[in-house]
Amino acid sequence: MTIRVTARIAIDEAELTEDFLRASGPGGQNVNKLETAVQLRFDAMASVNLPTALKERLVALAGRRITKDGVLVITAQRHRTRERNREDALERLVALLREAATPPPPPRRATKPSRAAKARRVDEKTRRGTTKRLRSTRPDE
């Protein structure tokens, strides 16, 4: 089964591995008995379905969640059930891949203020200075 990331990009479910572990935090007796937390692993660098540019952006976005070998590790333990944690981990993976798939914005081109904008700025400064000067002087009585 394939997982749709974007219209052009899809990953195969066989590329994902899931490990189940005990969730940390409160949860009563079940926290010590049940393995509801999910650790989703996706070997992004070995995936043939991802373009090279997307892989580079993914490494930059993932930060600590990606290993030196290029394996993306997502741990989900927000929910009480294993199924919901699996869905959450998959949603987070797809969201991260979609964010990496969006191209970066074009670089900003430096511009200078126009002559009219400079003139407006100077005029406003002069007007403001005049107002302040009139406030500070006391009329002769």
Side-chain angles (χ1 to χ4, degrees):
M1 187 172 132
T2 59
I3 300 164
R4 274 261 168 252
V5 178
T6 63
R8 291 184 177 177
I9 301 168
I11 57 173
D12 191 21
E13 208 170 281
E15 294 182 79
L16 304 176
T17 57
E18 292 176 338
D19 293 327
F20 299 100
L21 44 125
R22 291 186 182 146
S24 63
Q29 293 176 346
N30 276 348
V31 80
N32 297 324
K33 294 191 300 184
L34 303 178
E35 294 182 339
T36 56
V38 178
Q39 196 172 57
L40 183 73
R41 292 176 175 273
F42 172 59
D43 195 352
M45 293 303 134
S47 178
V48 294
N49 299 320
L50 301 181
T52 309
L54 187 138
K55 290 178 186 179
E56 291 170 3
R57 286 194 297 269
L58 183 64
V59 168
L61 279 173
R64 291 184 350 192
R65 292 176 287 188
I66 202 156
T67 64
K68 291 177 184 175
D69 303 328
V71 177
L72 181 65
V73 180
I74 295 177
T75 305
Q77 59 182 6
R78 295 180 192 166
H79 304 282
R80 291 176 61 111
T81 62
R82 181 183 284 194
E83 292 77 26
R84 188 62 192 111
N85 280 330
R86 287 178 71 191
E87 292 170 10
D88 183 38
L90 194 59
E91 288 168 7
R92 286 166 46 194
L93 172 69
V94 170
L96 189 64
L97 288 172
R98 280 190 181 135
E99 190 177 348
T102 57
R108 183 186 172 278
R109 285 196 320 217
T111 58
K112 293 182 180 177
S114 65
R115 187 178 293 166
K118 288 180 185 175
R120 280 194 303 269
R121 180 178 151 271
V122 171
D123 289 345
E124 179 58 33
K125 283 170 71 78
T126 307
R127 198 174 308 122
R128 189 89 179 120
T130 306
T131 305
K132 288 187 172 193
R133 193 170 56 251
L134 289 173
R135 271 191 213 145
S136 66
T137 58
R138 294 186 181 178
D140 294 334
E141 295 182 27

